[in-house]
Amino acid sequence: MTVTPTPGPASPSDGDLLRLDQQVCFSLHAASRAFGSLYRVLLKDLGLTYPQYLVMLVLWERGELPVKKLGEHLRLDSGTLSPLVKRLEAAGLVRRERSTLDERSVHVHLTGEGTALRERALLVPRRIAAATGFAVEEIRDLRARLDLLTSALDAAALEETPGAV
C-alpha cells in the first residue's frame, strides 16, 4: 500500500504552489519595481534613467568598451543598448567611435562630462543602501545569493533550450 505524505508546514500543498505570495519571481519583480521607483527619484538630479545609469556604471568601472562588450556586461542586446548609448551621447556623457580595426565594432567612451558625473552619482548607492534598512553585510549576502540564483536559472534555461549544447 502506498501512502501519500501529507504536506507539512515546510511542504506547501499543490494549491499553495500557485499562490502569488508563494512565487519567488513575483517577490523579485515587486522588489525590482520598488527599486525602479526609488532610482527614478534619485537619478532625476543626474539626468539619467535607470538603464542609462547602468551603462554609466560599467563605463566608470571598465572605461572605453565596444558596444558588444558593454551589452554582455549588462545582459542587453544591441537593439536595446544602442538607443541608450545614443541618448547618453546626445546628453554629452559618452561618445561613440567606429573601430579603425573593425568597422563593424563601435566603441563607447566617456566624455569629460560623463567622467565628472561619477562624483555626483556616488550618493546614489549610499541612498539606496540606506533605504533598504539592511546592513552592508546583508546587502552583500543578498547580492551573492541573487548572483547564484541568476547562474542557476541561466543554466536551467540553457538545459530547456532545444538544440542547446
Side-chain angles (χ1 to χ4, degrees), residues 55 58-59 64-86 94-99 104-109:
V55 170
V58 173
L59 293 173
E64 170 267 324
L65 284 173
V67 170
K68 182 176 180 175
K69 283 284 183 204
L70 188 57
E72 288 171 8
H73 285 291
L74 295 171
R75 300 175 64 111
L76 294 174
D77 61 48
S78 62
T80 302
L81 186 56
S82 291
L84 289 172
V85 172
K86 285 180 182 178
V94 303
R95 64 184 163 76
R96 295 176 299 150
E97 277 184 15
R98 200 157 290 285
S99 170
R104 297 170 297 175
S105 180
V106 175
H107 291 247
V108 182
H109 305 261

Side-chain angles (χ1 to χ4, degrees), residues 2-88:
T2 306
V3 177
T4 305
T6 56
S11 170
S13 70
D14 284 347
D16 289 343
L17 291 174
L18 295 178
R19 286 177 49 115
L20 183 62
D21 64 358
Q22 295 297 310
Q23 308 304 309
V24 69
C25 59
F26 183 73
S27 293
L28 287 169
H29 172 73
S32 179
R33 290 185 53 85
F35 268 117
S37 294
L38 182 55
Y39 271 107
R40 197 172 302 109
V41 172
L42 297 177
L43 295 174
K44 185 177 182 182
D45 291 340
L46 300 178
L48 297 174
T49 64
Y50 179 69
Q52 291 169 340
Y53 174 68
L54 296 179
V55 170
M56 296 301 290
L57 287 174
V58 173
L59 293 173
W60 289 327
E61 179 183 346
R62 305 274 177 174
E64 170 267 324
L65 284 173
V67 170
K68 182 176 180 175
K69 283 284 183 204
L70 188 57
E72 288 171 8
H73 285 291
L74 295 171
R75 300 175 64 111
L76 294 174
D77 61 48
S78 62
T80 302
L81 186 56
S82 291
L84 289 172
V85 172
K86 285 180 182 178
R87 285 192 293 275
L88 289 169

